[in-house]
Amino acid sequence: MNVPHRAPATLSLPVIGMTCASCVGRVERALRAVPGVEQAAVNLAAERAEIRFAAPATPAALVEAIERTGYVSPAAVTALSVSGLHCGSCVGRAERALLAVPGVTAARVNLASARAEVEGAAPEADLLAALEGAGYPGAPVADGAEEARAQAARREAEETGLRRDTLLAAALTLPVFILEMGGHAFPAFHHWIAGTIGMGASWAIQFALATLVLALPGRRFFALGLKALGRGAPEMNSLVALGAGAAWAYSTVATVAPALLPEGSRHVYFEPAALIVTLILAGRWMEARAKGRASEAIRRLFALRPETARVRRGAKAREIPLSALRRGDIVEVRPGERIPADGEIVEGGSFIDESMLTGEPIPVEKGEGAKVTGGAVNGAGAFAFRVTAIGADTTLARIAAMVEAAQGGKLPIQAMVDRVTMWFVPAVMALAALTFALWLAFAPAPALGPALVAAVAVLIIACPCAMGLATPVSIMVGTGRGAEIGVLFRRGEALQRLAGARIAALDKTGTLTEGRPRLSALVPAEGFARAELLGLAAAVEARSEHPVARAVVEAAEAEGAERLEAKGFATLTGRGARAEVAGRQVALGSAKLMAEIGADISAFAEEAARRAGEGETPLYIAVEGRAAALLTVADPIRETTPAALAALREQGFEIAMITGDDKRTAEAVARRLGIGEVFAEVSPEGKVEAVKALRARGPVVFVGDGINDAPALAEADVGLAVSSGTEIAAEAADAALMAGGLAGAPNAVALSRATLANIRGNLFWAFAYNAALIPVAAGALYPAFGLQLSPVLAAGAMALSSVFVVGNALRLRRFAPPLRG
């Protein structure tokens, strides 16, 4: 919202990217040029701008001015929990209240999670005051685990309260229902009532019981609904309060002062008034239970974290609360225990189940130096690890934060729903008034009773709750299910974009392949043995940090080759390395190095050319100046890649490869995988251009893992980052594939499409329900068929409408990914 509003006396904004005093001057001049700014002072060390105003200004204009100078002013995001939200109208009013606060640039309120995310520089106290003034009290969001527990407690308290009120309302309503409907269903019962206690006493009993229903369990509708009416912002509770209140008031007049009504209109409607409250309470109770299950994903994530850790203090280990854990602590983990924090193993080892992170069911072997993740389950071994991350910095906390952010996001499809629900309740109230007037004018006398019934039915049957919940509850369940199968959406709106993508652009190294070279072949010359050559090669490469060197050493260790010591090690840049091993001169490197030392490699020429054509890199070993072996290394294709590509093709994707690797290697990998379109030897900027070229044919999803993939991940319609990649890649992406490689991509696509289909089903139901039943409630069937909808049936339909939407969304919890394990 870019409407100028009265700014505070001062405003503080972050400014990122400044390096010197010249930068400070440029930013200050740009800010002072914004209309309404009196003074701007920029602090280089704090990276903040303090702005004082002389007139109303637009915070968005200040941010724009900073960004025009080439710097970034990231919007601070404040998360708040919001109570009192009942329907889409409430969401719209809460958002408008937040947007009106000076310093706010964007605000998103989520009905399903009862949370608000506010961007801008407004103080938290101002945001809370704005929510309070709009009738929706807010509170700061605590630490992730604490917030999850608090939210669970709030949900449980809400569910308990609704259960109590529903049962109380049902107990009070049942006699009213029997007295009123029993007489209609069984004439003998009607005559028995008239002949014993009399109709006057029957109406008095119904009055007393219905009054208790509205005053006790139904009080919430009147307390909230009438307050909203007083603010000129009617919502769902207002409709219930007006409908049930009108039926009760009319019946009360008919009971205590019947002379005020025309003789033919002296009827009571205590039964619909009480049943409306009872049925809607029952619906809300079922809805609260379903919404609690919809938000289980976050609670389950934090439940993975143990409450205590066994930390070494001096010579002993003792249990301490997790909150007392510090970076650098040495923590002991026994068999079967959960790991309390992120760290690095310093002693021992084990097989660790990380399925909560990756969705992969097979435990991973970890030894000294390996990284472990808080929340993972230790196998049969025991180990000790050094803590490297705690609290909000742990992988588990970051995953939970990503899921919460995605659940709070709004899909583009939600914008239309928000516009409709904003005006829905006032429109329903106007329609109810019109219905009442038309029945009075055109219905046969006495028309007052039927007119009231029709107006109350219109008020009660309208259900903005179903429209308001249709999208957010599906996002909540869908993103939660994604976290369980190893797909973490950082932005909820990515669900809609991914569902529409039709071209998959894939990085090669680390995405299609494992991302590190392995020894693929060793062809010995006559007179040399494989084990001997591996030992010699590993001795030369043991001191090198080059990836190829690590591949040779790992192969030697895996095959149990003899460990030998090298002397006089020398690295020959771009060609290889050499050293003296066991009294012999050994050289390992390229054909160029072999030519330099006079080693004849012609015997390996044909095999080397063939393997090079398959994307492998040929190297040679020379012993005492004689060519002893051809050795090739390659970055192996991940085991899961062929199945993932097959699944993507089945989903209708065109596949392209975009890589910085040389053309021959890229084309060799593409041939093996059946990829027809290859962009090779491209820079990070070239990857962006390739994505743009592909987008001319349709929406593009890019999958990558490296720093050089970050621009392409940001440029694509949807960026999916492989979890084994860099932080920079993950930040640029819309979602992270925790299982590594491409395997999670078809699962992410299938989940996004299932979620969008679920949302469309919910929206169709919500709009079709209201479009079809509001006219019926108004009496559309009466002229042709003489049928008028009872407010009781209207209340039941309205209550079930919201339950249907939430229940339909919960089906996503059973989503089965196309690629498992």
Side-chain angles (χ1 to χ4, degrees), residues 197-417:
I197 63 173
M199 293 311 298
S202 172
W203 286 11
I205 293 170
Q206 292 182 48
F207 163 74
L209 292 173
T211 302
L212 288 174
V213 170
L214 270 62
L216 297 176
R219 182 177 180 276
R220 67 179 69 213
F221 298 116
F222 293 89
L224 297 171
L226 297 180
K227 187 184 292 183
L229 274 176
R231 292 195 306 269
E235 35 98 298
M236 184 66 229
N237 293 301
S238 306
L239 297 181
V240 177
L242 286 175
W248 176 86
Y250 183 94
S251 304
T252 300
V253 171
T255 302
V256 301
L260 297 176
L261 298 174
E263 190 170 335
S265 298
R266 295 168 187 170
H267 306 292
V268 294
Y269 300 97
F270 290 121
E271 173 242 352
L275 265 177
I276 284 168
V277 169
T278 303
L279 290 174
I280 293 175
L281 282 171
R284 290 217 178 153
W285 176 25
M286 288 187 283
E287 183 185 321
R289 293 183 64 188
K291 281 164 70 177
R293 291 198 297 273
S295 60
E296 275 179 0
I298 296 292
R299 293 200 297 277
R300 280 202 299 267
L301 278 172
F302 282 115
L304 295 172
R305 193 172 68 175
E307 295 295 322
T308 61
R310 189 176 301 100
V311 179
R312 288 180 183 172
R313 291 282 191 262
K316 293 185 176 180
R318 61 188 182 90
E319 296 275 346
I320 65 169
L322 205 62
S323 58
L325 202 60
R326 297 290 177 263
R327 285 184 179 86
D329 280 344
I330 302 298
V331 178
E332 294 181 356
V333 182
R334 295 172 181 168
E337 291 183 337
R338 286 198 181 274
I339 299 169
D342 293 0
E344 184 176 305
I345 295 178
V346 295
E347 181 185 302
S350 184
F351 282 87
I352 296 175
D353 179 1
E354 296 182 328
S355 57
M356 40 66 76
L357 279 176
T358 65
E360 295 285 349
I362 302 171
V364 181
E365 186 176 9
K366 304 263 186 175
E368 288 186 24
K371 296 187 186 310
V372 293
T373 305
V377 180
N378 183 27
F383 62 90
F385 72 94
R386 179 181 292 107
V387 175
T388 58
I390 56 174
D393 296 328
T394 62
T395 302
L396 192 63
R398 293 203 306 271
I399 288 173
M402 286 173 66
V403 174
E404 283 184 324
Q407 289 182 343
K410 284 201 174 186
L411 272 61
I413 198 172
Q414 179 72 15
M416 178 269 293
V417 179

